Tab-separated table of all heavy atoms in Angstrom:
chain	number	residue	atom	x	y	z
A	5	GLN	N	1.244	4.331	-2.927
A	5	GLN	CA	1.052	5.746	-2.624
A	5	GLN	C	2.277	6.561	-3.043
A	5	GLN	O	2.137	7.671	-3.563
A	5	GLN	CB	0.776	5.946	-1.138
A	5	GLN	CG	-0.577	5.435	-0.705
A	5	GLN	CD	-0.756	5.505	0.797
A	5	GLN	OE1	0.201	5.458	1.562
A	5	GLN	NE2	-2.016	5.600	1.226
A	6	MET	N	3.461	6.015	-2.828
A	6	MET	CA	4.686	6.714	-3.226
A	6	MET	C	4.776	6.834	-4.741
A	6	MET	O	5.181	7.871	-5.259
A	6	MET	CB	5.925	5.993	-2.673
A	6	MET	CG	6.119	6.173	-1.189
A	6	MET	SD	6.291	7.905	-0.700
A	6	MET	CE	7.807	8.341	-1.516
A	7	LYS	N	4.397	5.786	-5.472
A	7	LYS	CA	4.399	5.842	-6.934
A	7	LYS	C	3.450	6.922	-7.437
A	7	LYS	O	3.783	7.683	-8.339
A	7	LYS	CB	3.999	4.492	-7.529
A	7	LYS	CG	5.079	3.447	-7.454
A	7	LYS	CD	4.588	2.154	-8.075
A	7	LYS	CE	5.596	1.052	-7.916
A	7	LYS	NZ	5.118	-0.220	-8.482
A	8	GLN	N	2.263	6.984	-6.840
A	8	GLN	CA	1.283	7.991	-7.240
A	8	GLN	C	1.779	9.398	-6.926
A	8	GLN	O	1.631	10.313	-7.734
A	8	GLN	CB	-0.060	7.725	-6.558
A	8	GLN	CG	-0.748	6.483	-7.047
A	8	GLN	CD	-1.993	6.158	-6.240
A	8	GLN	OE1	-2.413	6.934	-5.376
A	8	GLN	NE2	-2.597	5.007	-6.520
A	9	PHE	N	2.371	9.575	-5.753
A	9	PHE	CA	2.918	10.880	-5.364
A	9	PHE	C	4.011	11.303	-6.334
A	9	PHE	O	4.027	12.449	-6.802
A	9	PHE	CB	3.464	10.817	-3.932
A	9	PHE	CG	4.154	12.083	-3.518
A	9	PHE	CD1	3.416	13.174	-3.086
A	9	PHE	CD2	5.538	12.183	-3.570
A	9	PHE	CE1	4.046	14.351	-2.711
A	9	PHE	CE2	6.174	13.355	-3.208
A	9	PHE	CZ	5.427	14.438	-2.765
A	10	ARG	N	4.919	10.381	-6.651
A	10	ARG	CA	6.020	10.685	-7.573
A	10	ARG	C	5.483	11.071	-8.948
A	10	ARG	O	5.928	12.056	-9.540
A	10	ARG	CB	6.956	9.486	-7.698
A	10	ARG	CG	8.153	9.765	-8.592
A	10	ARG	CD	9.049	8.570	-8.775
A	10	ARG	NE	9.508	8.045	-7.512
A	10	ARG	CZ	9.319	6.785	-7.112
A	10	ARG	NH1	8.703	5.917	-7.887
A	10	ARG	NH2	9.769	6.383	-5.954
A	11	ALA	N	4.503	10.313	-9.445
A	11	ALA	CA	3.932	10.603	-10.764
A	11	ALA	C	3.273	11.978	-10.787
A	11	ALA	O	3.449	12.743	-11.751
A	11	ALA	CB	2.926	9.516	-11.148
A	12	ARG	N	2.528	12.321	-9.727
A	12	ARG	CA	1.889	13.645	-9.661
A	12	ARG	C	2.932	14.755	-9.598
A	12	ARG	O	2.779	15.797	-10.245
A	12	ARG	CB	0.945	13.727	-8.461
A	12	ARG	CG	-0.353	12.968	-8.658
A	12	ARG	CD	-1.368	13.283	-7.569
A	12	ARG	NE	-0.857	13.121	-6.218
A	12	ARG	CZ	-0.973	12.021	-5.486
A	12	ARG	NH1	-1.592	10.965	-5.964
A	12	ARG	NH2	-0.487	11.979	-4.262
A	13	ALA	N	3.992	14.550	-8.839
A	13	ALA	CA	5.042	15.565	-8.714
A	13	ALA	C	5.746	15.784	-10.053
A	13	ALA	O	6.022	16.929	-10.439
A	13	ALA	CB	6.045	15.155	-7.645
A	14	ILE	N	6.016	14.702	-10.774
A	14	ILE	CA	6.649	14.820	-12.097
A	14	ILE	C	5.727	15.574	-13.044
A	14	ILE	O	6.168	16.487	-13.747
A	14	ILE	CB	7.010	13.423	-12.650
A	14	ILE	CG1	8.161	12.827	-11.836
A	14	ILE	CG2	7.389	13.511	-14.123
A	14	ILE	CD1	8.425	11.356	-12.127
A	15	GLU	N	4.445	15.229	-13.054
A	15	GLU	CA	3.481	15.896	-13.931
A	15	GLU	C	3.398	17.394	-13.635
A	15	GLU	O	3.398	18.214	-14.556
A	15	GLU	CB	2.088	15.270	-13.793
A	15	GLU	CG	1.984	13.881	-14.359
A	15	GLU	CD	2.178	13.836	-15.858
A	15	GLU	OE1	1.843	14.809	-16.543
A	15	GLU	OE2	2.689	12.818	-16.338
A	16	LYS	N	3.324	17.761	-12.367
A	16	LYS	CA	3.243	19.179	-11.992
A	16	LYS	C	4.483	19.938	-12.440
A	16	LYS	O	4.386	21.053	-12.949
A	16	LYS	CB	3.086	19.328	-10.472
A	16	LYS	CG	1.720	19.026	-9.954
A	16	LYS	CD	1.680	19.249	-8.455
A	16	LYS	CE	0.325	19.003	-7.869
A	16	LYS	NZ	0.311	19.234	-6.412
A	17	THR	N	5.634	19.338	-12.247
A	17	THR	CA	6.885	19.986	-12.625
A	17	THR	C	6.954	20.188	-14.125
A	17	THR	O	7.309	21.271	-14.605
A	17	THR	CB	8.090	19.155	-12.145
A	17	THR	OG1	7.984	18.970	-10.726
A	17	THR	CG2	9.399	19.839	-12.442
A	18	LEU	N	6.603	19.169	-14.898
A	18	LEU	CA	6.637	19.273	-16.350
A	18	LEU	C	5.614	20.290	-16.867
A	18	LEU	O	5.900	21.038	-17.807
A	18	LEU	CB	6.418	17.903	-16.988
A	18	LEU	CG	7.538	16.881	-16.731
A	18	LEU	CD1	7.147	15.529	-17.305
A	18	LEU	CD2	8.864	17.357	-17.300
A	19	ARG	N	4.432	20.337	-16.245
A	19	ARG	CA	3.423	21.327	-16.646
A	19	ARG	C	3.910	22.749	-16.404
A	19	ARG	O	3.521	23.678	-17.109
A	19	ARG	CB	2.109	21.098	-15.895
A	19	ARG	CG	1.221	20.076	-16.545
A	19	ARG	CD	-0.214	20.147	-16.048
A	19	ARG	NE	-0.342	20.225	-14.603
A	19	ARG	CZ	-0.542	19.186	-13.797
A	19	ARG	NH1	-0.636	17.970	-14.285
A	19	ARG	NH2	-0.659	19.362	-12.501
A	20	ALA	N	4.775	22.914	-15.413
A	20	ALA	CA	5.343	24.235	-15.121
A	20	ALA	C	6.456	24.597	-16.102
A	20	ALA	O	7.022	25.679	-16.028
A	20	ALA	CB	5.880	24.269	-13.690
A	21	GLY	N	6.782	23.661	-17.004
A	21	GLY	CA	7.810	23.929	-18.004
A	21	GLY	C	9.221	23.652	-17.534
A	21	GLY	O	10.186	24.137	-18.127
A	22	LEU	N	9.368	22.866	-16.481
A	22	LEU	CA	10.682	22.546	-15.914
A	22	LEU	C	10.955	21.053	-16.016
A	22	LEU	O	10.026	20.248	-15.963
A	22	LEU	CB	10.727	22.948	-14.439
A	22	LEU	CG	10.454	24.409	-14.143
A	22	LEU	CD1	10.250	24.617	-12.655
A	22	LEU	CD2	11.590	25.263	-14.662
A	23	PRO	N	12.221	20.653	-16.130
A	23	PRO	CA	12.527	19.224	-16.089
A	23	PRO	C	12.349	18.695	-14.665
A	23	PRO	O	12.535	19.428	-13.694
A	23	PRO	CB	13.992	19.155	-16.528
A	23	PRO	CG	14.551	20.494	-16.202
A	23	PRO	CD	13.415	21.469	-16.334
A	24	ALA	N	11.968	17.435	-14.558
A	24	ALA	CA	11.797	16.798	-13.251
A	24	ALA	C	12.948	15.816	-13.034
A	24	ALA	O	13.398	15.156	-13.975
A	24	ALA	CB	10.463	16.067	-13.190
A	25	TYR	N	13.409	15.712	-11.804
A	25	TYR	CA	14.505	14.824	-11.456
A	25	TYR	C	14.088	13.903	-10.314
A	25	TYR	O	13.483	14.355	-9.342
A	25	TYR	CB	15.723	15.627	-10.992
A	25	TYR	CG	16.316	16.508	-12.058
A	25	TYR	CD1	15.790	17.766	-12.324
A	25	TYR	CD2	17.403	16.091	-12.811
A	25	TYR	CE1	16.336	18.579	-13.299
A	25	TYR	CE2	17.958	16.898	-13.793
A	25	TYR	CZ	17.413	18.141	-14.028
A	25	TYR	OH	17.957	18.944	-15.000
A	26	VAL	N	14.403	12.604	-10.441
A	26	VAL	CA	14.152	11.641	-9.363
A	26	VAL	C	15.385	10.749	-9.225
A	26	VAL	O	16.097	10.505	-10.200
A	26	VAL	CB	12.894	10.769	-9.608
A	26	VAL	CG1	11.639	11.606	-9.618
A	26	VAL	CG2	13.003	9.987	-10.880
A	27	MET	N	15.607	10.269	-8.023
A	27	MET	CA	16.725	9.350	-7.795
A	27	MET	C	16.454	8.046	-8.537
A	27	MET	O	15.321	7.580	-8.594
A	27	MET	CB	16.896	9.065	-6.299
A	27	MET	CG	17.224	10.295	-5.479
A	27	MET	SD	18.750	11.126	-5.969
A	27	MET	CE	19.958	9.905	-5.596
A	28	ASP	N	17.499	7.458	-9.123
A	28	ASP	CA	17.364	6.191	-9.844
A	28	ASP	C	17.363	5.054	-8.830
A	28	ASP	O	18.410	4.626	-8.364
A	28	ASP	CB	18.507	6.029	-10.849
A	28	ASP	CG	18.329	4.816	-11.740
A	28	ASP	OD1	17.432	4.000	-11.481
A	28	ASP	OD2	19.099	4.682	-12.694
A	29	GLU	N	16.173	4.575	-8.492
A	29	GLU	CA	16.030	3.529	-7.481
A	29	GLU	C	16.374	2.148	-8.019
A	29	GLU	O	16.658	1.240	-7.259
A	29	GLU	CB	14.616	3.535	-6.926
A	29	GLU	CG	14.268	4.838	-6.237
A	29	GLU	CD	12.795	4.944	-5.892
A	29	GLU	OE1	12.024	4.026	-6.236
A	29	GLU	OE2	12.429	5.945	-5.280
A	30	VAL	N	16.346	1.977	-9.333
A	30	VAL	CA	16.610	0.670	-9.927
A	30	VAL	C	18.096	0.355	-9.886
A	30	VAL	O	18.510	-0.711	-9.441
A	30	VAL	CB	16.069	0.615	-11.374
A	30	VAL	CG1	16.452	-0.692	-12.038
A	30	VAL	CG2	14.560	0.781	-11.368
A	31	TRP	N	18.918	1.272	-10.363
A	31	TRP	CA	20.358	1.038	-10.405
A	31	TRP	C	21.049	1.438	-9.102
A	31	TRP	O	22.174	1.048	-8.854
A	31	TRP	CB	20.986	1.805	-11.565
A	31	TRP	CG	20.557	1.267	-12.882
A	31	TRP	CD1	19.551	1.720	-13.670
A	31	TRP	CD2	21.094	0.125	-13.559
A	31	TRP	NE1	19.428	0.960	-14.791
A	31	TRP	CE2	20.365	-0.030	-14.753
A	31	TRP	CE3	22.119	-0.766	-13.273
A	31	TRP	CZ2	20.635	-1.051	-15.665
A	31	TRP	CZ3	22.386	-1.768	-14.176
A	31	TRP	CH2	21.646	-1.906	-15.350
A	32	GLY	N	20.374	2.260	-8.292
A	32	GLY	CA	20.937	2.640	-7.009
A	32	GLY	C	21.933	3.779	-7.073
A	32	GLY	O	22.498	4.165	-6.070
A	33	GLU	N	22.134	4.332	-8.238
A	33	GLU	CA	22.999	5.494	-8.354
A	33	GLU	C	22.493	6.344	-9.509
A	33	GLU	O	21.825	5.865	-10.409
A	33	GLU	CB	24.452	5.098	-8.605
A	33	GLU	CG	24.656	4.376	-9.917
A	33	GLU	CD	26.104	3.994	-10.156
A	33	GLU	OE1	26.699	3.382	-9.266
A	33	GLU	OE2	26.609	4.317	-11.230
A	34	GLY	N	22.790	7.607	-9.440
A	34	GLY	CA	22.381	8.491	-10.504
A	34	GLY	C	20.993	9.068	-10.309
A	34	GLY	O	20.318	8.820	-9.317
A	35	VAL	N	20.610	9.859	-11.286
A	35	VAL	CA	19.343	10.580	-11.262
A	35	VAL	C	18.670	10.399	-12.616
A	35	VAL	O	19.339	10.368	-13.653
A	35	VAL	CB	19.611	12.082	-11.002
A	35	VAL	CG1	18.354	12.908	-11.139
A	35	VAL	CG2	20.250	12.288	-9.640
A	36	ILE	N	17.354	10.283	-12.599
A	36	ILE	CA	16.602	10.226	-13.844
A	36	ILE	C	16.024	11.618	-14.091
A	36	ILE	O	15.398	12.202	-13.213
A	36	ILE	CB	15.454	9.195	-13.783
A	36	ILE	CG1	15.994	7.809	-13.450
A	36	ILE	CG2	14.664	9.195	-15.092
A	36	ILE	CD1	16.959	7.252	-14.468
A	37	ARG	N	16.256	12.130	-15.304
A	37	ARG	CA	15.719	13.442	-15.680
A	37	ARG	C	14.595	13.229	-16.688
A	37	ARG	O	14.769	12.562	-17.704
A	37	ARG	CB	16.812	14.307	-16.296
A	37	ARG	CG	16.286	15.618	-16.855
A	37	ARG	CD	17.347	16.568	-17.294
A	37	ARG	NE	18.271	15.968	-18.243
A	37	ARG	CZ	19.463	16.488	-18.536
A	37	ARG	NH1	19.885	17.588	-17.947
A	37	ARG	NH2	20.255	15.886	-19.410
A	38	PHE	N	13.431	13.808	-16.394
A	38	PHE	CA	12.294	13.820	-17.300
A	38	PHE	C	12.274	15.204	-17.931
A	38	PHE	O	11.982	16.189	-17.261
A	38	PHE	CB	10.982	13.585	-16.538
A	38	PHE	CG	10.883	12.227	-15.919
A	38	PHE	CD1	11.472	11.964	-14.696
A	38	PHE	CD2	10.194	11.216	-16.553
A	38	PHE	CE1	11.373	10.713	-14.117
A	38	PHE	CE2	10.086	9.955	-15.979
A	38	PHE	CZ	10.685	9.708	-14.761
Side-chain angles (χ1 to χ4, degrees):
Q5 290 174 333
M6 287 301 296
K7 285 180 185 178
Q8 291 173 6
F9 175 81
R10 183 183 304 123
R12 285 191 308 266
I14 290 169
E15 290 295 330
K16 284 182 178 180
T17 303
L18 294 175
R19 275 197 313 265
L22 302 169
Y25 296 83
V26 296
M27 298 300 295
D28 187 351
E29 298 170 357
V30 175
W31 292 96
E33 64 180 51
V35 173
I36 303 298
R37 173 172 54 196
F38 295 83

